Amino acid sequence: RTSRGGESLMALQNRSAMWGRSIVSNCYGDGGCITTIHATKLRNDPKRLEMERINPLVFEKVSSDPKDPIVSKWLSNCGIQRVIVGHKPTGDCPAVLSSSYSGVEIVSGDTSFSDVSAPDKRGLAVGIVEVVGFSSVDNQLHLRGTLSNGNSYNSKFYRLHSGNKVDESTGDPFLGRHIQPDDDGDDDWWIKVKTEDGHYCLTRGKGRFVEYRHIEKSELLNRF
């Protein structure tokens, strides 16, 4: 034989071996967020795209687009309104794309690098992802837990129900959304969760580098 036994199975979890279409290790997430400007630029870089047909290594470090309209339409047509994944670290709490963007809610819940200064890389952070509701086609996402700074959070997102409907009368309208730059040009922040003291936890970053901010609701107004 010319290869090791099980080699093809191992290839399923390698993006380069599968030319960017791994069923195991493709992922969302960058810099602690569900996506970032940096991730978009890398994914759409003309030079990288040109090399896709001849060099599978260009698929490394590329994250999927949670807002992809073709994928969102396909999921919606199949009656799927929520995708929950892990694999790639997203800071000290799960990262979410609000269903307000496409009707499909994207959740990435890997917190394995919540606090890189801690011996276990997690520190105080604990994240719980729950889908709560009347049935498998009528429910809403609840995120609760503790951030790396010790603050507790308990956040509820929009209710999703049959017929690809999004009930925006329930859940927090700010969660899982990207905010516009402020007057000083401070940008690319995502709203992740609301802490129990009433502040919103914002995240931005690039790769494994993550920044955090905690702000009051009044600071979010007029930023969409």
Side-chain angles (χ1 to χ4, degrees):
R1 59 187 306 151
T2 59
S3 63
R4 296 179 63 184
E7 186 177 75
S8 58
L9 288 175
M10 290 296 292
L12 288 174
Q13 58 79 44
N14 186 289
R15 273 179 282 181
S16 296
M18 298 301 295
W19 291 83
R21 296 182 179 274
S22 166
I23 62 171
V24 178
S25 61
N26 278 29
C27 58
Y28 300 108
D30 182 61
C33 310
I34 194 65
T35 190
T36 62
I37 293 174
H38 165 258
T40 301
K41 288 181 177 178
L42 177 62
R43 185 171 54 250
N44 298 330
D45 178 64
K47 292 182 179 179
R48 192 199 67 78
L49 291 171
E50 187 178 340
M51 295 293 290
E52 281 189 353
R53 293 183 179 275
I54 58 175
N55 184 3
L57 295 179
V58 299
F59 292 103
E60 292 184 349
K61 299 182 179 180
V62 175
S63 299
S64 300
D65 181 8
K67 296 181 180 179
D68 189 313
I70 297 175
V71 175
S72 297
K73 183 178 180 180
W74 183 86
L75 290 169
S76 295
N77 289 341
C78 293
I80 298 171
Q81 289 184 275
R82 181 183 295 111
V83 176
I84 302 178
V85 299
H87 173 63
K88 189 173 181 180
T90 53
D92 63 359
C93 65
V96 179
L97 177 78
S98 170
S99 56
S100 61
Y101 287 98
S102 66
V104 178
E105 186 176 76
I106 306 294
V107 187
S108 182
D110 187 331
T111 56
S112 57
F113 279 76
S114 300
D115 183 356
V116 294
S117 66
D120 64 354
K121 306 301 181 185
R122 293 180 183 273
L124 298 175
V126 176
I128 299 173
V129 178
E130 295 180 304
V131 177
V132 180
F134 298 103
S135 69
S136 62
V137 294
D138 186 349
N139 48 61
Q140 64 183 147
L141 174 71
H142 289 197
L143 297 182
R144 58 190 178 92
T146 304
L147 300 174
S148 58
N149 64 3
N151 286 347
S152 298
Y153 61 90
N154 191 342
S155 301
K156 297 180 181 180
F157 292 71
Y158 287 150
R159 169 183 166 234
L160 308 181
H161 56 109
S162 55
N164 295 328
K165 296 177 181 178
V166 178
D167 181 1
E168 297 186 357
S169 68
T170 63
D172 192 316
F174 294 112
L175 299 176
R177 299 184 65 182
H178 187 240
I179 65 175
Q180 297 298 318
D182 61 17
D183 295 337
D184 297 322
D186 194 19
D187 66 354
D188 211 19
W189 291 98
W190 282 83
I191 307 168
K192 297 188 75 178
V193 293
K194 186 178 183 180
T195 57
E196 293 188 349
D197 64 3
H199 288 78
Y200 285 91
C201 174
L202 274 59
T203 303
R204 72 174 178 183
K206 175 181 177 180
R208 293 291 177 90
F209 174 73
V210 184
E211 291 183 77
Y212 299 100
R213 284 180 62 191
H214 294 84
I215 65 176
E216 296 182 355
K217 180 179 179 179
S218 59
E219 296 182 64
L220 290 176
L221 302 177
N222 303 317
R223 294 285 298 275
F224 296 98

